[in-house]
Amino acid sequence: MFDKILIANRGEIAVRINRACQELGISTVAVHSEADTESMHVRIADESVCIGPNPVNKSYLNAHAIISACEITGAQAVHPGYGFLSENASFAKMLDDHKLTFIGPKYSHIEMMGDKIEAKKIMKKFGVPVVPGSEGKIIDEADAVATSEKIGFPVLLKASAGGGGRGMKVVNNKKELKSALPIIKQEAISFFGNDAIYIEKFIDSPRHIEVQIICDTHGNYLHLHERDCSVQRRNQKVLEEALAPNIEEEKKQDLFKTCTNAMKSMGYLGLGTLEFLFDGNEFYFMEMNTRLQVEHPITEMLTRIDLVREQICVAHGDKIFTNQENIKPLGHSIECRINAENASDFKPSAGKIKMYHPPAGNGIRLDTFIYSGYNVPHYYDNLLAKLITTGRTRNHAIKRALRALNEIVIDGIQTNIDLHKKILSSPDFKNGGVAINWLEQNINIL
Ligand code: MV4
């Protein structure tokens, strides 16, 4: 096993990764910006290196500074967490060139899945159901019109280098398509430096279901079931649950088999998530994420598998400790993302946490980095904590989440704790299976 790992991230995920390293007997190096000197991830690591000033492009996105920090400390591997450099293929390649291990997939797979047209082509080739749309990139206006008329309006224009909801536009007819095409192309160039556009049938009110997979270098391509991430606002997930309620078991099992077969055909390594839209009892592949995800703990609680531990092990070349037959999800798990934000305009809030008291007890997990007296900086993501509750049934997990949200105290800054209480108390949510537009449409009446 590695002796020393550098954690190229901050906040709750850096703390989460540090914990997995400690349990594996691996010593840790934290990296941080000037604003993060007093951050929890720095305090709990064995060593720390300041890699630059507060803006992320000068610190957490500074690949050269991170590689220098490895050389200085003798770290053998880098865990990128999520966000920042976690899906940056050239960073993964740079680490390879420096004989350092990137704790993630091969850089070629990161690159492939980062190109959404390429990702869709590959998945389709391996039998994964995809959203009906253009065969690859749109060549010109005539091609766009012909493709859209064939699949039928409304259609969605998507930038191939986009993802996570950026660089998309719905068009309802030929006229709208013709005016939107040059705009979305220009956006694609200025946001992503790549003008490749593709077209998909617009699916109106689907659910967002994702499949967690993990692969090693010993021929194991396993799935860890699914998560339902439909409760979102402006492309930001708010609450996730596993398993996804009200979907036929056989339908899911067919999908899992297809996903693991695709991973085997690709020779994928490490953790991955295949994102699907679920509509009218059908799954449609959208994108694949080649990183550890924010919402991984709900899968951990259900399967009792430590995803970060396994991620480190498979990156080292070790075998996954279990097999598909022995992975049996137990009960139901819900994650509430607790953000520092204004309750009325949802704008990020920052400032000093005067008092913090965590919830505890049966079925409660809180992944966080905050403490009483901590000053939340405004430079970074506003996620403060993830409350993960697990129960024997979905109902029990919901009741536990409400109980824990009543126990938790975060004083001094504004949070979205009340929003979570409203969601968990709403009859629609309790019924299970709300669509991706549900929260935005109901936020004022919850
Ligand atoms: C779609 C879609 C409807 N139809 N594709 C948003 C993020 C990116 N991963 C792709 N997204 C979508 N693709 C087709 N053909 C709706 C969305 C979408 C969405 C998907 C999942 C979760 C939240 C969402 C919010 C808005 C739009």
Side-chain angles (χ1 to χ4, degrees):
M1 185 39 74
F2 304 114
D3 299 310
K4 196 185 274 193
I5 288 178
L6 183 145
I7 301 164
N9 215 302
R10 66 180 303 282
E12 68 83 21
I13 199 64
V15 172
R16 165 72 189 91
I17 296 160
N18 200 85
R19 287 176 174 147
C21 291
Q22 285 179 340
E23 291 173 14
L24 283 162
I26 300 168
S27 68
T28 57
V29 180
V31 293
H32 66 93
S33 65
E34 286 163 1
D36 272 339
T37 308
E38 303 297 320
S39 206
M40 183 63 87
H41 79 283
V42 176
R43 294 187 176 194
I44 61 167
D46 295 304
E47 290 169 78
S48 65
V49 181
C50 182
I51 50 166
N54 304 337
V56 290
N57 60 320
K58 295 264 164 27
S59 50
Y60 297 103
L61 289 175
N62 187 344
H64 294 286
I66 291 164
I67 290 170
S68 298
C70 289
E71 310 267 309
I72 292 164
T73 57
Q76 300 146 333
V78 174
H79 197 306
Y82 53 68
F84 297 134
L85 296 166
S86 62
E87 292 180 293
N88 186 315
S90 36
F91 177 63
K93 172 86 167 50
M94 274 170 76
L95 292 184
D96 280 5
D97 294 343
H98 285 82
K99 306 275 178 270
L100 296 163
T101 303
F102 177 76
I103 300 174
K106 300 165 194 160
Y107 74 82
S108 56
H109 284 148
I110 302 175
E111 202 161 44
M112 246 183 249
M113 295 301 127
D115 180 333
K116 308 302 168 192
I117 290 176
E118 183 73 14
K120 234 184 126 178
K121 274 188 189 161
I122 292 165
M123 293 304 164
K124 195 174 172 186
K125 184 171 94 185
F126 295 136
V128 179
V130 301
V131 188
S134 55
E135 297 286 336
K137 161 184 166 138
I138 289 295
I139 306 161
D140 54 18
E141 191 189 86
D143 182 23
V145 171
T147 303
S148 302
E149 284 178 341
K150 190 173 148 217
I151 58 179
F153 286 101
V155 298
L156 196 52
L157 301 182
K158 293 186 173 183
S160 187
R166 298 174 315 149
M168 303 195 330
K169 188 155 183 57
V170 184
V171 296
N172 291 297
N173 52 54
K174 194 163 149 179
K175 188 163 167 270
E176 278 182 28
L177 174 63
K178 284 181 174 178
S179 60
L181 202 58
I183 298 167
I184 202 86
K185 244 183 150 66
Q186 189 47 52
E187 265 182 30
I189 297 169
S190 56
F191 293 171
F192 317 112
N194 175 352
D195 75 346
I197 303 290
Y198 64 112
I199 293 182
E200 281 182 351
K201 174 90 193 157
F202 175 62
I203 301 181
D204 191 20
S205 322
R207 291 166 66 185
H208 177 161
I209 309 293
E210 56 186 32
V211 177
Q212 176 73 59
I213 54 98
I214 181 163
C215 312
D216 64 17
T217 50
H218 300 264
N220 293 300
Y221 301 91
L222 311 181
H223 73 82
L224 274 62
H225 298 263
E226 83 283 8
R227 295 183 287 261
D228 188 334
C229 310
S230 302
V231 181
Q232 60 89 34
R233 187 184 164 274
R234 303 206 177 161
N235 279 305
Q236 291 292 322
K237 293 170 186 167
V238 173
L239 176 156
E240 306 94 342
E241 59 182 313
L243 303 174
N246 306 334
I247 302 180
E248 267 170 53
E249 189 55 34
E250 202 186 303
K251 197 91 199 161
K252 290 187 201 176
Q253 292 300 332
D254 286 350
L255 184 71
F256 299 152
K257 194 89 211 98
T258 315
C259 291
T260 51
N261 283 341
M263 293 306 107
K264 189 172 180 177
S265 308
M266 283 171 66
Y268 191 79
L269 170 64
L271 291 180
T273 302
L274 289 92
E275 293 189 344
F276 293 90
L277 295 175
F278 180 75
D279 180 51
N281 208 31
E282 298 301 327
F283 289 103
Y284 301 99
F285 172 81
M286 285 193 299
E287 300 175 11
M288 180 173 180
N289 301 320
T290 55
R291 58 163 193 277
L292 176 69
Q293 294 208 216
V294 176
E295 60 271 25
H296 77 277
I298 54 175
T299 300
E300 295 190 315
M301 300 323 287
L302 273 203
T303 60
R304 285 87 67 218
I305 294 171
D306 185 325
L307 286 183
V308 181
R309 182 187 179 97
E310 291 311 306
Q311 190 185 22
I312 295 167
C313 290
V314 301
H316 183 258
D318 301 347
K319 227 170 157 167
I320 302 166
F321 79 93
T322 188
N323 54 31
Q324 196 69 67
E325 285 74 67
N326 288 316
I327 300 172
K328 293 197 182 75
L330 190 67
H332 196 89
S333 197
I334 298 176
E335 171 178 276
C336 297
R337 294 191 188 194
I338 300 176
N339 297 330
E341 70 184 27
N342 183 291
S344 35
D345 64 10
F346 305 99
K347 290 224 174 77
S349 68
K352 201 182 180 81
I353 295 173
K354 292 205 193 82
M355 222 278 279
Y356 162 59
H357 178 79
N362 205 351
I364 307 292
R365 168 174 171 182
L366 196 79
D367 280 23
T368 187
F369 68 116
I370 64 171
Y371 53 86
S372 288
Y374 176 64
N375 199 31
V376 180
H378 65 265
Y379 301 98
Y380 313 109
D381 191 278
N382 66 341
L383 180 69
L384 293 177
K386 304 186 304 202
L387 170 68
I388 303 106
T389 64
T390 309
R392 195 174 47 77
T393 61
R394 183 171 187 269
N395 235 328
H396 194 180
I398 292 173
K399 292 241 164 73
R400 272 202 169 131
L402 281 163
R403 187 269 285 172
L405 290 166
N406 285 324
E407 272 183 39
I408 194 169
V409 179
I410 303 174
D411 271 351
I413 57 169
Q414 291 193 291
T415 74
N416 63 346
I417 289 173
D418 280 346
L419 174 63
H420 282 296
K421 291 184 191 172
K422 289 179 190 165
I423 293 168
L424 292 161
S425 309
S426 94
D428 287 347
F429 181 79
K430 283 190 207 165
N431 280 336
V434 297
I436 58 173
N437 28 8
W438 174 78
L439 182 59
E440 277 163 283
Q441 286 170 358
N442 293 276
I443 207 152
N444 293 320
I445 57 163
L446 282 179

